[in-house]
């Protein structure tokens, strides 16, 4: 089992920045690929960004390319999502997830955090 706890969400004005963190514990979390997903009210959960366990490969959704950056620190069992130039449409609950496989595929991920709310005001 892997436990994931997100933090860093909050209310920010459009154009601002936030950095989300995901702390992993339990089984060897450094062996897992990691992803950030988000879900807005009434919408499906979508992949925002993902990173392989080594950190050598990342994937970012087109909607966030150039604005968001995923990174990880395996020594700290942590994954981060730096979010810059935030827009109101980025408002959602953001979830951290862990799994093994194709990082851009939701079914890869078997462990999920509880989520952290990000609200971007216009």
């Amino acid at each position: 089992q892997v436990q994931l706890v997100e933090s860093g969400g909050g209310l920010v004005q459009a154009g601002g920045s936030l950095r989300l963190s995901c702390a992993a514990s339990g089984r060897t979390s450094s062996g897992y690929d990691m992803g950030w997903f988000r879900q807005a009210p009434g919408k499906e959960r979508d992949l925002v960004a993902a990173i392989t366990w080594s950190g050598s490969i990342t994937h970012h959704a087109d909607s966030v390319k150039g604005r968001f950056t995923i990174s990880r620190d395996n020594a700290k069992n942590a994954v981060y999502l730096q979010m810059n130039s935030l827009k109101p449409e980025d408002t959602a609950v953001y979830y951290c997830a862990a799994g093994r496989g194709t990082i851009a595929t939701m079914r890869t991920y078997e462990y999920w955090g509880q989520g952290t709310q990000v609200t971007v005001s216009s």
Side-chain angles (χ1 to χ4, degrees), residues 5-60:
V5 178
E6 303 95 337
S7 62
L11 174 64
V12 63
Q13 288 188 332
S17 298
L18 284 175
R19 188 193 194 207
L20 304 184
S21 298
C22 174
S25 61
R27 294 180 61 184
T28 309
S29 57
S30 62
Y32 286 88
D33 303 318
M34 301 293 293
W36 284 100
F37 291 77
R38 67 185 181 187
Q39 188 168 19
K43 295 188 177 181
E44 295 183 349
R45 189 173 298 189
D46 293 324
L47 176 67
V48 176
I51 188 167
T52 55
W53 72 268
S54 68
S56 62
I57 299 173
T58 62
H59 170 85
H60 295 80

Side-chain angles (χ1 to χ4, degrees), residues 3-115:
Q3 292 78 44
L4 303 171
V5 178
E6 303 95 337
S7 62
L11 174 64
V12 63
Q13 288 188 332
S17 298
L18 284 175
R19 188 193 194 207
L20 304 184
S21 298
C22 174
S25 61
R27 294 180 61 184
T28 309
S29 57
S30 62
Y32 286 88
D33 303 318
M34 301 293 293
W36 284 100
F37 291 77
R38 67 185 181 187
Q39 188 168 19
K43 295 188 177 181
E44 295 183 349
R45 189 173 298 189
D46 293 324
L47 176 67
V48 176
I51 188 167
T52 55
W53 72 268
S54 68
S56 62
I57 299 173
T58 62
H59 170 85
H60 295 80
D62 288 342
S63 59
V64 306
K65 280 181 180 177
R67 301 188 299 122
F68 292 10
T69 303
I70 190 171
S71 62
R72 68 187 299 163
D73 185 339
N74 287 342
K76 297 182 178 180
N77 290 333
V79 179
Y80 308 100
L81 185 67
Q82 179 65 44
M83 305 187 295
N84 299 327
S85 303
L86 282 160
K87 304 175 181 180
E89 51 263 43
D90 294 319
T91 296
V93 177
Y94 283 71
Y95 298 90
C96 175
R100 292 189 176 105
T102 304
I103 62 173
T105 304
M106 182 178 284
R107 64 175 179 267
T108 288
Y109 300 93
E110 56 184 309
Y111 301 107
W112 294 83
Q114 293 299 306

